[in-house]
Amino acid sequence: MEEFLIKIFVCFIAGAGAGIGTGFAGMSAAAVIGPILATFLGMPAYAAVGIGLISDVLASAVSAYTYHKSGNLDIKNSLPLMLSVLTATVVGSLVASLLPDRAMSSTMQIAMIVIGLRFLLKPVHTTREQMEALTPNNRLIKAIVGGIFVGFICGFVGAGGGMMMLFVLTTFLGYPMHMAVGTSVFIMTFTALTGGISHFVIDGMPDVLCLVLCAVFTLLWARIAAQIANRADAKLLNRVVGVVMIVTSVVILAVNCI
């Protein structure tokens, strides 16, 4: 009974952290869920990442719908980015299956801290007019290259994909902050589904109870966070995204050291 309650508590903490990160910052749920399940429940890292990715599917879908209702989702222009992300995610997942559980390097978390500082110190103030000023060919090339990079990260470490995608959307494709987060979670819905299925096909089904609990808790908190984020102005959202990225990365670094 005690073990059962501990599992529920750990999944609640993991789901809450993942949901808040997804709804506010378009972050991959696996970035939080994977390390927490692996550390506190002794779950194999590859299986924990798979649970995180599947938990991300519903949470990202609900968040994307919330952003869409507020006009902060660009489906048409994001399709080339999404297709390249999905392809690279499968490759990254296959490569990850060949490596030891502890292959997730702290380098990614340090990179997330740097990007988080970027949003805090140099907020994104891009307008939709500036975003649409990119030529179609320029947009296509940047989307494909950025998608390959983001997809491989998501499939390989199960973490950082959403954050890197947000960085690509705002820095290279010129998206305004709200639309970047909305488009990021839209793409992450399909990326997480692809990565999660790849993990389960390769490694088999993980702990079903943990999977259900993490998915439910992540979905709940992502919905709440997305509703709040859509009401915030761009400056505040930049700060929230930066803080979420930095705090999450510091926590994951600490968890990995346990």
Side-chain angles (χ1 to χ4, degrees):
M1 186 64 177
E2 182 180 353
E3 182 179 343
F4 177 73
L5 293 177
I6 291 175
K7 183 175 291 188
I8 293 177
F9 178 73
V10 170
C11 289
F12 174 77
I13 296 299
I20 291 171
T22 298
F24 270 122
M27 185 177 68
S28 170
V32 177
I33 292 175
I36 289 179
L37 295 186
T39 301
F40 295 104
L41 296 182
M43 187 178 296
Y46 195 76
V49 167
I51 288 177
L53 288 169
I54 291 298
S55 299
D56 203 9
V57 176
L58 286 177
S60 291
V62 168
S63 297
Y65 176 70
T66 303
Y67 279 92
H68 174 65
K69 288 197 300 182
S70 300
N72 292 316
L73 174 57
D74 180 19
I75 296 177
K76 180 181 177 181
N77 292 319
S78 66
L79 292 180
L81 176 63
M82 183 175 73
L83 292 175
S84 58
V85 167
L86 293 178
T87 303
T89 297
V90 175
V91 176
S93 182
L94 290 171
V95 173
S97 69
L98 304 175
L99 299 176
D101 279 352
R102 285 292 180 177
M104 187 184 297
S105 171
S106 60
T107 302
M108 177 55 63
Q109 305 310 326
I110 295 173
M112 292 299 100
I113 292 174
V114 173
I115 296 175
L117 288 171
R118 183 265 187 188
F119 285 116
L120 281 176
L121 302 177
K122 191 179 179 182
V124 176
H125 295 299
T126 314
T127 63
R128 299 193 184 197
E129 290 74 19
Q130 290 172 305
M131 177 190 77
E132 294 167 356
L134 281 175
T135 64
N137 287 340
N138 194 3
R139 180 187 299 277
L140 180 62
I141 293 172
K142 288 183 176 181
I144 292 175
V145 173
I148 292 173
F149 176 62
V150 171
F152 185 82
I153 289 174
C154 184
F156 182 68
V157 299
M163 296 289 91
M164 285 298 182
M165 195 177 309
L166 188 63
F167 182 73
V168 169
L169 288 169
T170 55
T171 303
F172 298 106
L173 295 176
Y175 277 62
M177 195 63 185
H178 285 84
M179 185 171 286
V181 177
T183 303
S184 175
V185 291
F186 168 73
I187 297 175
M188 283 306 297
T189 301
F190 301 95
T191 305
L193 179 62
T194 303
I197 291 175
S198 298
H199 274 61
F200 294 167
V201 168
I202 293 169
D203 197 48
M205 280 296 293
D207 187 309
V208 176
L209 177 60
C210 283
L211 175 60
V212 172
L213 289 173
C214 286
V216 170
F217 291 138
T218 303
L219 174 63
L220 172 64
W221 285 99
R223 173 67 171 166
I224 295 171
Q227 288 181 324
I228 295 173
N230 271 281
R231 298 191 185 101
D233 60 32
K235 184 176 181 180
L236 177 60
L237 187 57
N238 271 274
R239 290 177 176 172
V240 171
V241 169
V243 170
V244 168
M245 293 176 76
I246 293 170
V247 171
T248 302
S249 297
V250 169
V251 170
I252 292 173
L253 284 172
V255 168
N256 285 339
C257 291
I258 296 177

